[in-house]
Amino acid sequence: MDFVDVILPLPLHGKFTYAIPEELQGALEVGMRIYVPFGRRKYYTAIVDEIHHRRPENYEVKEVLAKLEERPSVRYPQRKLWEWLADYYLCTVGDVYKAALPSGMKIESETYVSLNKDFENDGGIILKEREAEIVIYLENKQRVRLDEMGRDLKDKNIGTRVNMLLSEGIIRVDEKAVERYRSKKEKCIRLSVKRGDQDALHSKFDLLTRSARQQNTLIAYLDKSGWFNLSHHLREVTKAELLTANGTNPGIIKALVDKGVFEEYTRVTNRFEQTGKSDTIALKPLSEAQSSALKKVRSEMQTHAVTLLHGVTGSGKTEIYTHLMKDALDSGKQILYLVPEISLTTQLTDRLRRVFGDRMLVYHSKFGDSERVDIYKRVLESHEPLIVLGVRSAVFLPFFHLGLVIVDEEHESSYKQYDPAPRYNGRDAAIVLASMHGAKTLLGSATPAVETYYKAENGKYGLVELAERFEGAVLPDVEIVDMKVQRKRKVAKGILSEPLRESMHAALKEGAQGIMFQNRRGFAPYVVCTECGWKPKCVNCDVSLVYHKQSNQLRCHYCGYSITPPNVCPACGQNGIEVFGYGTERIAEELHKEFDGYRVARMDLDTTRNKDSYQEIIEEFSRHETDILVGTQMVTKGLDFDKVRVVGVLNADTMLNFPDFRSNERAFNMIEQVSGRAGRRRDQPGKVIVQTTDPDNDVLARVKAHDYDGFYRAELSDREKYLYPPYTRIIVIYIKNKDARLVDSVAVGFALALRRVFGQRVLGPEKPFVSRVSTWYLQSIMLKVESEASMKKVKEILRAIYEQMCADPCMKGTLVYYDVDPV
């Protein structure tokens, strides 16, 4: 009998072996999706990792239930990437699998709960209030999903209560397989005669001599299907397509079906299948500086697997990317083009589709499950050259002939996945993916990550500099405004300084636009009772609630908990509750008042929850239907608006004063990037106004001078002194428990065990900036290891320490996870 080792979408170490039943012998392949039982009642979609003859010992092997496809969905380079991600980011291959495949490709069983109709209570079982609620709920609902019942009853411990009722025989639990993918189906029309049978075709026309409209519809079908072009395959014609023909309507098509002229059938189609559109416009000619940079990039790619294009904001890096993509397509290769935010795909999609037609696909999380499955299948089944434009999750697509990977704005922290595992960096994963395919990688940024520039300077990466803006535009003038002086002189109005107000008024009068950047959403970040100092806090997290005026809610930005603001202080009973500080919602409201008659739009997480909201906001601003765009870091990244004259950074202090070794780098990058949105046309020089209470800060001086090199040298010196990346690799170990005392005890024990192996490389434990999230208390330990250290070996050591720690009773209920290369 043959057996398979499979990967399950679960955070479990190791792989699991199943027997192949007789009917599936010889039918399975590595990389194929199969359906298997796991545990007592659960069923999952597993990936075949190995087929062999080794019968496992010491336990009974379960059988594979079914295969879910005829050809593998996961290619060999993908599985190698999964293994690398699991080793490097200290997680399991199951974690990676769960993140890699669209949900629509993972059929899983869901738990359903119902009352046991055969149960008879003889009075010996007394239910608690919450358990009685479940019974009453099920009497009304009959049968319901476990997660749905938990939401309806607002019970986070629903699983515990269900287990108690199950053990008493009061309820039943069963599993139902759920497939989330819904294929797209189209009604098609075909002629009921064989192609080439002219006599049969003439007889069909004879049936229609009394109806010119029916004849016209038949002629339209023959034309659209390419019936007479025998050198090409007959093209399928959809019913919707045929209805666009002159004079055709559903009644005419039905009459032709009834007469036996047409046959109607349904086909399953890919939402993103190729439609045959080719290049629509020629590539734009490059400037002299761009042409020189392109030549150097091509040269560097001959000798380096990875090349960094360091080009100032507005230098036209995208046009260079476009020429390189055409090179790759012409040589029959596929291209992965990564951007850090979904908002960037909006502008780029239009630009690239005009050049590359439907050879360009877009992939990100705003697509539904079924749409993502169709994009995945299009990449899997097509060997033709194409471009995939996407965010970090696009690295998991099943490329066949990958020849070029472009990572735009490579410094961005948005490439980093925080929760859940794998906590990977999309940029680094893309570089590894390219190496596995033998492809070249181009990293682009005006403010490269310190580690990236260090590798480029030291010859590991190729380096190309592009130091001037496109068409002679100049970098914007940056003014640092001291808000302490502004408030002392009483010329600041709300959050706006006098220079920012005057500059914005002048720009708007001349028909230009402005951007206001504030990295806080909501209306006001602080709510305080001025009588007693009471502040509303999240019940689940150690953070204050943020006031959102539009929804009239106090909301936690960590767990989503929300309440309606009280009318009087619950602590002292006085009417002294006031809001302080500025989020994007409040700033937009003030801008409406200050710049009366001008149109203000807001772009943050609250206004971009819908699939098309990014595109609508950006397109309206591009068409100058709005005059001022206020937003969070979404507005800092790579957006190209040629009429933006003024950019305001409303509070630089929140970025500068953060307890983290990367805070200066993040602040410099963010402010320099948002500054780069201004003055992108030669005839409209830009103005950037940075508001701060620390005008002498060295980072702001570097921003004012657009001095990346000076910032990099200073930052590198500090990193070397304190042994931070690029001189070491950082691993942060997080320990979580719902008991604060237990998490402290485990953290101390874990740190001691780590020190016995790693010595002075271990720092901590300490409480993170937010030490309780979603009722879990947190402690962190920082581990610095040498850059050249084997992460596979580090993973083995950490796993051994974890298993040793599990002997401690305090580990019960404790979660341990790792964040490698935190940003």
Side-chain angles (χ1 to χ4, degrees):
M1 177 179 261
D2 285 344
F3 299 88
V4 287
D5 288 349
V6 304
I7 303 169
L8 289 167
L10 299 169
L12 301 172
H13 289 272
K15 291 161 189 173
F16 299 85
T17 303
Y18 289 84
I20 303 176
E22 188 175 341
E23 64 271 18
L24 291 179
Q25 291 287 327
L28 302 185
E29 297 178 48
V30 172
M32 190 176 276
R33 291 181 301 136
I34 58 175
Y35 197 51
V36 298
F38 187 77
R40 280 178 157 186
R41 304 185 189 90
K42 288 289 186 181
Y43 303 89
Y44 292 100
T45 297
I47 303 295
V48 176
D49 188 65
E50 184 186 354
I51 301 172
H52 57 82
H53 306 290
R54 305 183 302 274
R55 176 180 288 276
E57 298 177 359
N58 305 323
Y59 66 90
E60 184 181 348
V61 183
K62 295 180 181 179
E63 286 193 345
V64 173
L65 296 178
K67 71 171 185 174
L68 300 177
E69 56 198 354
E70 294 303 316
R71 293 193 300 274
S73 286
V74 181
R75 299 188 193 278
Y76 175 74
Q78 284 176 280
R79 289 187 294 112
K80 295 301 290 180
L81 178 67
W82 292 7
E83 290 170 6
W84 179 84
L85 287 167
D87 284 339
Y88 188 84
Y89 291 103
L90 308 178
C91 61
T92 69
V93 178
D95 286 319
V96 182
Y97 161 34
K98 189 168 185 178
L101 258 61
S103 297
M105 295 180 72
K106 298 192 288 283
I107 300 173
E108 295 182 7
S109 63
E110 290 187 347
T111 303
Y112 281 75
V113 184
S114 58
L115 285 177
N116 181 3
K117 294 178 181 176
D118 298 328
F119 174 76
E120 293 182 6
N121 190 354
D122 56 7
I125 300 174
I126 301 174
L127 297 180
K128 296 179 181 177
E129 182 182 353
R130 297 293 280 171
E131 289 151 1
E133 276 184 29
I134 293 174
V135 172
I136 295 168
Y137 175 86
L138 290 173
E139 284 175 349
N140 296 322
K141 285 278 190 176
Q142 302 296 320
R143 183 171 180 265
V144 67
R145 284 204 324 266
L146 180 63
D147 60 340
E148 182 184 341
M149 182 166 68
R151 284 197 304 272
D152 289 349
L153 296 177
K154 297 180 179 177
D155 189 345
K156 292 188 176 180
N157 294 318
I158 192 73
T160 304
R161 302 188 213 289
V162 163
N163 282 334
M164 179 270 166
L165 293 170
L166 183 65
S167 66
E168 296 290 351
I170 298 171
I171 62 173
R172 293 182 185 274
V173 171
D174 62 284
E175 297 290 315
K176 178 184 175 184
V178 177
E179 185 172 7
R180 294 178 176 84
Y181 175 64
R182 296 290 179 268
S183 59
K184 181 184 177 185
K185 296 177 181 177
E186 291 181 324
K187 290 191 179 298
C188 295
I189 301 297
R190 63 184 165 218
L191 197 55
S192 61
V193 300
K194 287 185 177 180
R195 193 181 190 188
D197 188 342
Q198 298 302 318
D199 292 338
L201 181 60
H202 285 304
S203 70
K204 297 300 181 186
F205 271 105
D206 291 342
L207 288 173
L208 311 178
T209 52
R210 294 186 178 182
S211 175
R213 293 173 73 186
Q214 290 180 10
Q215 284 186 343
N216 288 339
T217 300
L218 176 54
I219 291 168
Y221 168 81
L222 295 172
D223 179 55
K224 290 178 183 293
S225 65
W227 183 271
F228 297 112
N229 189 355
L230 298 178
S231 62
H232 289 79
H233 290 294
L234 191 66
R235 188 173 162 274
E236 286 187 289
V237 179
T238 66
K239 186 175 181 180
E241 189 181 359
L242 193 56
L243 285 169
T244 63
N246 240 355
T248 300
N249 59 47
I252 291 174
I253 293 176
K254 184 177 184 304
L256 289 168
V257 172
D258 292 342
K259 289 179 178 181
V261 176
F262 283 160
E263 295 173 353
E264 187 174 310
Y265 65 99
T266 300
R267 71 163 182 167
V268 176
T269 183
N270 191 304
R271 292 169 177 82
F272 300 94
E273 66 183 3
Q274 193 166 8
T275 60
K277 291 182 183 177
S278 57
D279 296 1
T280 54
I281 62 170
L283 291 174
K284 287 183 180 179
L286 299 179
S287 68
E288 188 177 334
Q290 287 174 319
S291 296
S292 175
L294 177 60
K295 186 178 179 181
K296 289 176 184 174
V297 168
R298 286 172 174 155
S299 175
E300 290 288 345
M301 283 183 167
Q302 297 296 318
T303 54
H304 293 89
V306 183
T307 300
L308 170 65
L309 175 60
H310 178 206
V312 297
T313 55
S315 58
K317 294 186 289 294
T318 305
E319 296 303 328
I320 294 174
Y321 301 157
T322 307
H323 280 75
L324 291 168
M325 286 190 281
K326 187 175 187 306
D327 291 348
L329 290 175
D330 289 345
S331 62
K333 300 293 186 179
Q334 296 173 332
I335 299 138
L336 173 60
Y337 185 170
L338 287 186
V339 292
E341 291 275 5
I342 294 171
S343 57
L344 287 181
T345 64
T346 300
Q347 280 195 328
L348 285 169
T349 299
D350 295 338
R351 291 171 68 176
L352 296 178
R353 280 235 166 93
R354 285 198 294 269
V355 177
F356 299 113
D358 70 352
R359 288 187 293 175
M360 197 206 72
L361 298 173
V362 181
Y363 188 79
H364 54 65
S365 60
K366 290 292 182 181
F367 285 120
D369 283 340
S370 296
E371 291 173 307
R372 274 181 279 176
V373 171
D374 278 345
I375 296 170
Y376 190 98
K377 287 182 175 179
R378 165 84 189 274
V379 177
L380 177 69
E381 294 165 3
S382 66
H383 294 176
E384 84 270 15
L386 52 78
I387 301 165
V388 175
L389 171 66
V391 293
R392 62 175 180 257
S393 58
V395 299
F396 295 120
L397 289 173
F399 295 97
F400 184 73
H401 286 303
L402 188 63
L404 176 66
V405 172
I406 296 170
V407 184
D408 198 16
E409 310 294 351
E410 65 82 27
H411 64 278
E412 274 292 342
S413 60
S414 300
Y415 282 121
K416 176 72 171 177
Q417 163 79 11
Y418 291 101
D419 272 313
R423 295 171 178 82
Y424 68 102
N425 190 305
R427 174 199 62 203
D428 299 336
I431 292 171
V432 173
L433 174 70
S435 71
M436 289 176 172
H437 282 267
K440 299 295 184 180
T441 303
L442 179 65
L443 309 177
S445 177
T447 55
V450 169
E451 293 97 313
T452 301
Y453 202 75
Y454 179 80
K455 289 174 183 174
E457 265 205 326
N458 286 275
K460 185 174 182 179
Y461 295 169
L463 176 62
V464 178
E465 305 275 1
L466 184 56
E468 63 182 64
R469 280 188 148 188
F470 185 63
E471 293 185 337
V474 296
L475 289 168
D477 178 49
V478 179
E479 181 180 350
I480 310 296
V481 176
D482 188 343
M483 291 303 288
K484 289 184 293 186
V485 173
Q486 288 282 304
R487 292 191 182 105
K488 190 174 182 180
R489 290 170 49 204
K490 298 185 179 179
V491 291
K493 191 173 180 182
I495 199 171
L496 301 176
S497 63
E498 185 178 40
L500 182 53
R501 287 200 317 275
E502 291 176 353
S503 297
M504 187 64 78
H505 275 295
L508 293 172
K509 284 178 184 177
E510 294 177 16
Q513 294 171 293
I515 290 177
M516 298 288 193
F517 168 56
Q518 171 78 331
N519 209 22
R520 285 184 183 272
R521 63 187 175 97
F523 186 83
Y526 308 110
V527 179
V528 181
C529 174
T530 55
E531 299 294 329
C532 70
W534 171 84
K535 296 177 184 177
K537 291 208 164 191
C538 178
V539 297
N540 304 315
C541 313
D542 281 340
V543 292
S544 298
L545 298 176
V546 177
Y547 178 53
H548 289 251
K549 186 175 182 180
Q550 189 172 358
S551 58
N552 191 34
Q553 291 282 301
L554 292 169
R555 196 174 298 162
C556 174
H557 288 177
Y558 282 82
C559 72
Y561 170 79
S562 64
I563 58 171
T564 303
N567 294 321
V568 297
C569 174
C572 68
Q574 299 298 307
N575 184 19
I577 297 176
E578 291 188 15
V579 297
F580 295 92
Y582 287 84
T584 49
E585 188 182 0
R586 186 175 189 180
I587 291 164
E589 184 178 286
E590 292 208 356
L591 292 175
H592 275 292
K593 295 175 184 175
E594 176 64 32
F595 304 102
D596 188 31
Y598 293 100
R599 298 155 297 187
V600 179
R602 178 163 58 99
M603 190 162 79
D604 56 27
L605 189 62
D606 297 324
T607 61
T608 56
R609 293 187 186 278
N610 297 328
K611 177 182 172 182
D612 299 321
S613 48
Y614 285 102
Q615 186 165 354
E616 290 167 4
I617 294 168
I618 289 169
E619 285 183 353
E620 286 173 4
F621 196 65
S622 295
R623 294 192 299 263
H624 208 157
E625 292 174 11
T626 50
D627 302 293
I628 304 172
L629 180 63
V630 55
T632 55
Q633 60 179 343
M634 292 179 184
V635 302
T636 71
K637 301 171 184 178
L639 296 172
D640 187 8
F641 304 114
D642 59 4
K643 289 190 177 180
V644 173
R645 182 91 59 84
V646 176
V647 167
V649 178
L650 299 176
N651 188 357
D653 299 342
T654 56
M655 293 175 280
L656 293 166
N657 302 324
F658 201 81
D660 180 68
F661 77 94
R662 291 192 192 272
S663 61
N664 282 350
E665 182 181 8
R666 269 197 304 268
F668 178 88
N669 290 349
M670 210 172 286
I671 299 171
E672 182 67 17
Q673 287 286 339
V674 75
S675 300
R677 303 313 110 208
R680 296 173 82 91
R681 280 172 50 179
R682 182 170 55 183
D683 58 337
Q684 289 192 355
K687 176 84 173 176
V688 179
I689 295 169
V690 181
Q691 300 182 165
T692 178
T693 58
D694 183 16
D696 298 323
N697 190 289
D698 187 58
V699 172
L700 297 181
R702 303 290 186 191
V703 170
K704 182 176 174 63
H706 301 290
D707 181 15
Y708 173 81
D709 190 68
F711 165 78
Y712 167 75
R713 303 289 167 203
E715 188 70 11
L716 200 63
S717 174
D718 288 343
R719 301 273 185 96
E720 186 175 22
K721 190 185 302 180
Y722 299 108
L723 289 178
Y724 281 111
Y727 300 101
T728 57
R729 180 176 287 128
I730 299 293
I731 303 169
V732 179
I733 302 155
Y734 287 99
I735 298 164
K736 296 169 63 173
N737 196 302
K738 296 200 172 185
D739 185 315
R741 182 185 57 81
L742 290 180
V743 80
D744 291 346
S745 173
V746 170
V748 170
F750 215 104
L752 288 172
L754 286 167
R755 282 196 179 89
R756 283 195 286 270
V757 179
F758 294 103
Q760 296 304 308
R761 299 178 184 89
V762 180
L763 302 176
E766 65 175 6
K767 291 183 179 180
F769 188 65
V770 178
S771 60
R772 186 173 67 112
V773 177
S774 299
T775 72
W776 290 87
Y777 290 91
L778 293 165
Q779 286 273 12
S780 66
I781 303 167
M782 181 181 286
L783 173 62
K784 295 180 181 179
V785 297
E786 289 75 7
S787 300
E788 62 277 6
S790 165
M791 290 302 289
K792 192 169 185 178
K793 183 65 176 174
V794 171
K795 182 179 183 179
E796 290 171 2
I797 295 170
L798 291 175
R799 181 67 189 171
I801 292 172
Y802 173 79
E803 290 175 358
Q804 171 193 330
M805 286 294 299
C806 283
D808 184 348
C810 294
M811 282 292 287
K812 188 174 183 181
T814 299
L815 299 179
V816 178
Y817 64 92
Y818 311 94
D819 187 7
V820 180
D821 300 336
V823 298

